[in-house]
Each structure stands twice: as structure tokens, then as C-alpha cells.
Amino acid sequence: MNPGRIRRDFPILSRKVHGKPLAYLDNAATSQKPQQVIDAVSRYYSRTNANIQRGVHLLSVRATDAYEATRERVQRFVNATRAEEIVFVRSTTEGINLVAQTAGRSLLNPGDEVIVSQMEHHSNIVPWQMLCQEKGARLRVIPVSGQGEMLLDEYEKLLNPRTRIVAVTHVSNVLGTINPVRKMVEMAHGHGALVLLDGAQAAPHLKVDVQELDCDFYCFSGHKVYGPTGIGILYGKWKHLESMPPYQGGGEMIRSVSFEKTTYNEPPHKFEGGTPNIAGVVALAAALDYLENLGLDRIEAYENELLEYATSRLSQVPGLRLIGTAPSKAAVLSFVLDEIHPHDMGTILDLEGVAIRTGHHCAQPLMDYYGLPATARASLAFYNTREEIDAMCRGLRKVIEVFE
């Protein structure tokens, strides 16, 4: 892995912020885009732009071909059994909502249960909470340890014949914990429950194999795997997608319409109402090509080196406490610093050119568990360097000086 060479593919990484070289350490929020992705968006609008699935003219046919080719590209990326198991949505959030409002709505009855975990992002809590309230079902929560590990013995106690759905994150956006999701899927299936995995923070860092995981649904966002914003992926096993009702009405999701009755298209088109983000889908293929050309195994190994270095360097900052120290982690580091509010840390670091995230990270129940209003979070990518981590640590020492 040669980050110096790789960084030349990302134009934004050469810019300065407040007169300082940019150290972008907010990749869990969104990643930066290589020139190949930027070019794919530009090329689409300058050479191909047309609506898809319904035109017979050349541009429409080319746009449709590129759109469907990306579906096959995503199929290979997650190792789905067929391209029709890939549904294009706007985001991970929309993917989870789609499953909740279709499969979830069909499955749940009063007294049934949905299991989530203490470390979930709001997007994997609220849709299930809304559905449980409507259906008279119960939302149950897997606790985590102080280190930020999922407590599997407690999870096992929650599983029972009323469990219909388990929805958990593959990698925590706050703690970086890589959860033992293969084992969790097996345990849920043993009780007849379906499993949705939120892969928003896993897909940029780990090789995802949905057949090996045996999950029923897997969601992730394009903009976190170095693709455009406004495009997300929902993988679903064909047998589930086939039996699920449509999510939204209109556009390509129909087979025939009369005022008396509408019949619906086959998956995945049944779930893709309206004109989608075609340019975003087409450019997503360029992002996945870029990732796989680098090699996800090499990316994971390099990011682990960065994580180890950053953990060591941050541990040397006086008064700093890391939140989330599970043995199995992706390159995400949340921390607090004595009595200094994370927003103050983020503001001062920004003046040093260092971009991190501060706040509750859309995971307020997890913040409540740790008794914190917020944390600072540095999240790393394969284009980050040790020098950028050093810049963050120098900035944190300036934060301490300001508040002394």
C-alpha cells in the first residue's frame, strides 16, 4: 500500500484548510472521492444522460446498460447469488426502512419481538421502533460491554420463539467494533428470525460476502465506499425479495396499471419506484472498481496498521480516554479529553487543518450507556497517513494548552 501514490487520485486531499494541509479523518461520515469516480459522474452527464428502462433511443439504452451493469458489479462485490438480489436505494437508512416497511410489516404481530443492539446508529433503531409501536411488538436491546463488545450470552437470552427480526450493525460507527455477525446470524436463524445487517461502516473496510454471512438483508451506502452521495445498496435473499410487497408506488415498479388494479414488477425493480440517481449508480461501479483494484485485504491490513499507530499515539495524550477498545476493531477511534467538550476539540483541530467528527454520532443510546453527551471521533481510510495522525495529536496538545 502506497498512500503517497494513492493520495494523488483524490484531488481534495491536496487542498489546504485555514492555510494548513488538510488531514481528513472523518471518513465514517463520508469518504473522499477518487478522480475515477468524479470522472464517471462527469462522463455520464456529458456523454450518456437519459432516463432508464423506458426509452428505445441510444442514450436511454446506454444509460440502462450502465445502470444494470453496476447492479452486476455490486453483486460481485458482496458475492450475492444473482444481480436481482441487489436493490438500489438512496442510502443505508432507506434500505433499512424499506425492509422494515415491507418484510417487517408483513412479519410482525402483537407480542412479537425485534432485536437491535445498544451500539446501533439511529437509522437502525428508529424504523424498528416505529414499526413495533404500530404493530404492538416489542423492541429488545442487546447490551454491550464497557470495552464496546456485543454481549453474546445476553443476546442468546433475548432470542425466543417471538423473535421475528434481528437488526444489528456489522461495524459500530462510534466504537469501531467489528461484531461477530456470522455467529449472530446463525443464532437468530436457529430461532427462525430474519437478520438484517447494517454494513455502512463495514463495506469500506472489510470484504463482505453475504453468502458466507448467510444474512437475509445487508445494507450499505455508496458515499462511504468512495462513491457518490445519494445512492445506497440493499441486498436481500431472492426468496425474501420475491415475497415482499412494494415499498413505494410509481415508475418502474409496476407491470400493469388500471384504475381497478395494479400488478407489480419483479424484484429488484419492484422496489425502485421513480427515476433513480442514475449518475450515482453508474459512478458507484467506478468506486467499487477502485477499491477492488487496491485490494480489500490490503486495505484492511494497512488500516489496521494505522489504527494501531493512532491508538498508541492518542494514548500518549494527557487526559485522553478512548471509548471503544474491543479487540476486533475497524479504524475508528472515539475519545474524550478530560472536561473539554468535543466540539471545542473539533473546532481547534479544524484550525490546524484536521477534520474529525464531534457529537453523539446519531447513536444517543450508546452515548447514554457511556454517560457522555458526545465524543470526538477520528475515522481513518487507506489514504490517511501516520503524519496526519501526528498532526491530530499535536492539535490535541494545543487544545489542552488553550484550556489550561
Side-chain angles (χ1 to χ4, degrees):
M1 189 67 73
N2 182 347
R5 167 66 191 83
I6 289 167
R7 290 173 70 85
R8 292 201 285 272
D9 290 334
F10 292 80
I12 200 169
L13 297 180
S14 63
R15 68 159 294 174
K16 292 189 174 181
V17 172
H18 303 301
K20 306 282 179 62
L22 169 65
Y24 185 79
L25 306 178
D26 192 18
N27 296 286
T30 194
S31 59
Q32 299 301 343
K33 317 307 173 197
Q35 189 63 52
Q36 291 85 337
V37 169
I38 298 168
D39 288 346
V41 173
S42 175
R43 190 165 53 244
Y44 173 77
Y45 281 121
S46 55
R47 298 286 301 166
T48 311
N49 182 45
N51 215 326
I52 57 169
Q53 312 289 7
R54 60 203 72 170
V56 296
H57 58 83
L58 179 67
L59 293 186
S60 180
V61 171
R62 292 274 168 83
T64 303
D65 288 348
Y67 187 87
E68 293 302 327
T70 302
R71 202 185 305 277
E72 294 174 3
R73 187 70 190 81
V74 177
Q75 175 204 351
R76 296 194 299 276
F77 185 72
V78 299
N79 194 30
T81 58
R82 52 196 291 182
E84 292 84 357
E85 291 179 323
I86 304 301
V87 180
F88 292 122
V89 289
R90 288 180 301 163
S91 59
T92 304
T93 299
E94 186 174 58
I96 296 169
N97 275 273
L98 191 161
V99 175
Q101 293 300 322
T102 55
R105 183 178 291 278
S106 302
L107 277 174
L108 286 191
N109 289 302
D112 287 342
E113 297 181 354
V114 175
I115 295 178
V116 296
S117 84
Q118 184 89 41
M119 68 173 75
E120 298 308 316
H121 185 273
H122 296 165
S123 294
N124 201 28
I125 298 173
V126 180
W128 304 111
Q129 197 172 50
M130 293 166 70
L131 186 64
C132 285
Q133 287 169 354
E134 179 188 325
K135 303 288 279 189
R138 184 180 180 195
L139 188 69
R140 308 200 71 185
V141 181
I142 310 165
V144 300
S145 72
Q147 278 188 298
E149 290 181 285
M150 203 91 80
L151 295 176
L152 289 190
D153 52 344
E154 297 297 324
Y155 171 53
E156 189 165 25
K157 291 176 191 172
L158 292 176
L159 290 166
N160 69 75
R162 304 311 305 260
T163 307
R164 295 287 178 265
I165 298 166
V166 174
V168 292
T169 186
H170 193 169
V171 172
S172 165
N173 71 314
V174 177
L175 309 170
T177 307
I178 301 173
N179 290 310
V181 289
R182 177 67 189 87
K183 175 68 175 171
M184 297 179 76
V185 170
E186 184 182 346
M187 292 166 71
H189 284 173
H191 290 266
L194 301 186
V195 181
L196 176 143
L197 297 179
D198 173 352
Q201 299 297 337
H205 304 291
L206 310 173
K207 199 165 190 174
V208 173
D209 184 333
V210 293
Q211 291 190 67
E212 194 276 332
L213 292 172
D214 196 29
C215 56
D216 298 284
F217 303 100
Y218 196 98
C219 308
F220 65 97
S221 297
H223 71 99
K224 289 178 179 168
V225 291
Y226 308 92
T229 56
I231 177 66
I233 301 300
L234 167 65
Y235 155 81
K237 285 181 178 174
W238 176 254
K239 62 181 180 181
H240 300 318
L241 295 181
E242 207 174 19
S243 64
M244 285 156 53
Y247 176 51
Q248 296 174 324
E252 188 60 19
M253 54 77 68
I254 61 95
R255 177 169 287 158
S256 68
V257 176
S258 71
F259 283 113
E260 289 72 35
K261 185 181 179 183
T262 296
T263 58
Y264 305 119
N265 210 334
E266 292 292 316
H269 305 297
K270 180 168 66 174
F271 304 106
E272 296 180 359
T275 298
N277 179 0
I278 305 167
V281 168
V282 171
L284 177 63
L288 299 184
D289 285 345
Y290 188 89
L291 276 181
E292 291 199 333
N293 284 338
L294 284 181
L296 280 157
D297 291 340
R298 292 173 65 219
I299 289 171
E300 185 178 354
Y302 176 69
E303 289 180 350
N304 281 338
E305 285 177 25
L306 280 184
L307 174 65
E308 188 176 339
Y309 182 74
T311 302
S312 171
R313 293 286 284 117
L314 286 172
S315 299
Q316 296 165 24
V317 176
L320 187 143
R321 178 163 63 99
L322 286 167
I323 307 298
T325 54
S328 181
K329 279 187 65 170
V332 175
L333 301 106
S334 275
F335 52 90
V336 292
L337 189 52
D338 280 340
E339 301 299 318
I340 302 171
H341 196 282
H343 288 181
D344 293 326
M345 280 192 261
T347 301
I348 294 173
L349 285 176
D350 177 56
L351 294 174
E352 299 299 317
V354 179
I356 63 165
R357 182 71 170 263
T358 63
H360 54 59
H361 313 296
C362 299
Q364 287 179 316
L366 187 61
M367 292 293 118
D368 291 342
Y369 169 71
Y370 283 106
L372 298 168
T375 71
R377 182 187 70 187
S379 48
L380 312 175
F382 54 77
Y383 46 59
N384 289 130
T385 64
R386 292 187 175 209
E387 289 74 19
E388 290 177 313
I389 293 166
D390 291 340
M392 174 176 65
C393 292
R394 284 195 303 274
L396 288 170
R397 290 178 185 277
K398 289 192 177 182
V399 172
I400 295 169
E401 289 171 13
V402 168
F403 284 88
E404 273 182 346

